[in-house]
Amino acid sequence: AVQYVGTTIALIVFIVWSGFFIYGLESSFPGTFYTPLFITITNILVPKICDFINAFESHSTEGSRQSSLYIKIALFRWFNSAICLSIIMGFIESISIEDGQEETKDSLTYSVYPIIFAEMFTIPLIKLLDIMGNIRKHILAPRARDQDTMNACFIGGRFELAERYTDATKVLFVALFYSAILPESLFLGAAALLIHFIIGKFCLLRLWRPSADIGPVLARLSRNYFFSVSLVTHVVMSAYWWSGYPYDKVCLNEETGQYDYCDQDMFRAAIFPPLPRFQPEGGEWMTSSQATLTSLYGWTSLVIVIFAALVVLKEYIFPLIEQLFCSTYEPDGKDQGIDFTDVQHLHEIMGYVPQVREGGFSHPLIACDLRDIHDDLVGWKDQFQGFKPHSLYLDACSIIKGDPVNQAFSVMKTWPKEPVKLEMSSH
């Protein structure tokens, strides 16, 4: 718990720092490319920063580590790309204003365009260039001292599945967040997702190394949480965006026939849902069609928020309280009547074999004795040298001239239905 609290505080500090930096850029250089450039750069660097923060947490499975990394990256990118700008930019600067010659660049909609275009071209292009991979292949590999070191330069770049998911959820969140005042964001977001898919598929098949099998945990996390939150945010923010038109804080006084100041910003006034009935008396600014659309979005947002709150209570809060007083375990899946030994050779099911990945090695280092387990349980196979050069256990045996299994290595053992010939024993 202490680890999670510490990493959460570090993430919050990083998010706050980014928000203040963006505020400083907008205050000093309004309407320039500095703010979108900073957002793009931080969105590219944040996976490495969050991975560093995540290293201070202990996770029992790779799926748990990826889920924690996914949450950190997604929260930062959502705030950095969408929420921060909507808070920093003034109410009047929400939409572009024509001054008779051209649109002013000091507007929220103008600032969102470069962010979406960066998602379409800049980030996929950086992945496609694979700068570090080309350095390893064309500069480091020819100068390697031995064959193993050279082979390690061609295993492909490491990629985090959590980062790939946040690329999609970030585009979706930004497009839905601003769709009311920037409808073309939906088409640009769809184009960005298509480009991400094409480039990601190429990199997955040609550039990146294989990653660990973590199952459907990230897909469920996206479907149950992030996509749902994106939809709720879209409806709520659309209600606020529609309620603020025409974003000039000027209302016609029907008694005097003059224009007076009026506060059209229901978002910063914390009015929810933003309905036409909450307009100040004598200072109404909504047209009849605007009032109808705002009412539709306002009541819909209220219903969706209530429904989402009930789902959270039923699916997460109540079970959390219930498990404090009684057992809530339920088995997941059904017995298919198929023995494990009948499918392990299909490379679809692997055992929990302790392995360590280190830079400079073409394969993981095996941290156990493989004599009593089947080769198929390891999950990979060196077709040229077998497992012997990659076994830390055998290295320890040669160093101490004995068997260190009871001192430093866990015992790995299987009981197959029929005796099997083990590759490790042949070495």
Side-chain angles (χ1 to χ4, degrees), residues 242-243 274-277 279 285-299:
W242 281 112
S243 68
L275 299 173
R277 67 175 64 182
Q279 298 179 91
W285 68 87
M286 295 188 190
T287 63
S288 59
S289 58
Q290 180 184 358
T292 301
L293 192 58
T294 302
S295 298
L296 178 61
Y297 270 103
W299 287 116

Side-chain angles (χ1 to χ4, degrees), residues 45 48 65 86 109 128 134 155 184 247 268 302 314 383 395 397:
L45 296 179
K48 300 297 182 183
R65 189 189 74 85
S86 65
T109 53
L128 188 61
N134 283 299
I155 61 176
E184 55 267 38
Y247 293 97
R268 290 175 175 80
L302 179 62
K314 179 180 180 297
Q383 301 293 342
D395 290 345
C397 288

Side-chain angles (χ1 to χ4, degrees), residues 250-292:
V250 175
C251 303
L252 177 62
N253 192 322
E254 297 180 356
E255 297 181 357
T256 62
Q258 298 178 347
Y259 287 93
D260 299 329
Y261 169 84
C262 63
D263 188 4
Q264 302 167 342
D265 191 357
M266 292 188 178
F267 178 73
R268 290 175 175 80
I271 299 175
F272 182 79
L275 299 173
R277 67 175 64 182
F278 297 126
Q279 298 179 91
E281 185 176 354
E284 295 83 0
W285 68 87
M286 295 188 190
T287 63
S288 59
S289 58
Q290 180 184 358
T292 301

Side-chain angles (χ1 to χ4, degrees), residues 114-373:
I115 298 175
I116 299 179
F117 276 102
E119 292 297 327
M120 294 177 61
F121 301 108
T122 306
I123 297 178
L125 182 61
I126 291 176
K127 292 183 174 66
L128 188 61
L129 291 176
D130 190 26
I131 299 175
M132 293 304 302
N134 283 299
I135 292 176
R136 286 193 293 266
K137 295 174 184 176
H138 301 292
I139 298 179
L140 300 181
R143 295 164 176 79
R145 292 175 295 179
D146 51 57
Q147 185 67 37
D148 286 339
T149 304
M150 188 185 73
N151 291 342
C153 296
F154 289 89
I155 61 176
R158 177 191 175 194
F159 81 99
E160 299 286 359
L161 190 59
E163 183 184 353
R164 304 281 80 79
Y165 268 94
T166 57
D167 288 339
T169 55
K170 175 184 56 178
V171 173
L172 179 66
F173 185 82
V174 173
L176 293 178
F177 193 91
Y178 291 110
S179 61
I181 59 174
L182 193 66
E184 55 267 38
S185 66
L186 296 176
F187 298 98
L188 295 176
L193 291 175
L194 178 61
I195 294 175
H196 274 274
F197 169 75
I198 296 173
I199 299 300
K201 182 178 180 180
F202 176 82
C203 294
L204 185 64
L205 298 178
R206 299 291 183 180
L207 300 179
W208 295 332
R209 73 180 70 172
S211 64
D213 183 8
I214 64 174
V217 58
L218 291 184
R220 292 175 179 174
L221 188 62
S222 290
R223 182 176 62 251
N224 296 337
Y225 293 95
F226 289 96
F227 289 164
S228 302
V229 173
S230 297
L231 180 60
V232 173
T233 305
H234 160 67
V235 177
V236 173
M237 290 306 302
S238 294
Y240 282 114
W241 293 131
W242 281 112
S243 68
Y245 276 102
Y247 293 97
D248 55 8
K249 291 192 175 183
V250 175
C251 303
L252 177 62
N253 192 322
E254 297 180 356
E255 297 181 357
T256 62
Q258 298 178 347
Y259 287 93
D260 299 329
Y261 169 84
C262 63
D263 188 4
Q264 302 167 342
D265 191 357
M266 292 188 178
F267 178 73
R268 290 175 175 80
I271 299 175
F272 182 79
L275 299 173
R277 67 175 64 182
F278 297 126
Q279 298 179 91
E281 185 176 354
E284 295 83 0
W285 68 87
M286 295 188 190
T287 63
S288 59
S289 58
Q290 180 184 358
T292 301
L293 192 58
T294 302
S295 298
L296 178 61
Y297 270 103
W299 287 116
T300 303
S301 64
L302 179 62
V303 172
I304 289 181
V305 168
I306 294 176
F307 177 77
L310 293 177
V311 170
V312 170
L313 288 174
K314 179 180 180 297
E315 298 294 333
Y316 305 105
I317 304 301
F318 289 160
L320 185 63
I321 298 175
E322 182 182 1
Q323 71 179 5
L324 297 176
F325 303 96
C326 58
S327 175
T328 58
Y329 171 77
E330 293 182 1
D332 185 11
K334 296 181 180 180
D335 185 1
Q336 302 296 317
I338 302 176
D339 293 335
F340 178 78
T341 53
D342 294 334
V343 295
Q344 67 181 28
H345 66 283
L346 300 177
H347 302 290
E348 297 178 354
I349 300 179
M350 298 175 292
Y352 178 71
V353 179
Q355 303 177 44
V356 180
R357 291 189 177 272
E358 286 291 337
F361 293 92
S362 58
H363 294 79
L365 303 177
I366 302 173
C368 67
D369 182 11
L370 294 184
R371 288 178 297 183
D372 295 327
I373 66 175

Side-chain angles (χ1 to χ4, degrees), residues 89-100:
M89 300 293 287
F91 175 78
I92 298 179
E93 290 80 22
S94 296
I95 60 176
S96 299
I97 305 172
E98 295 186 0
D99 57 5

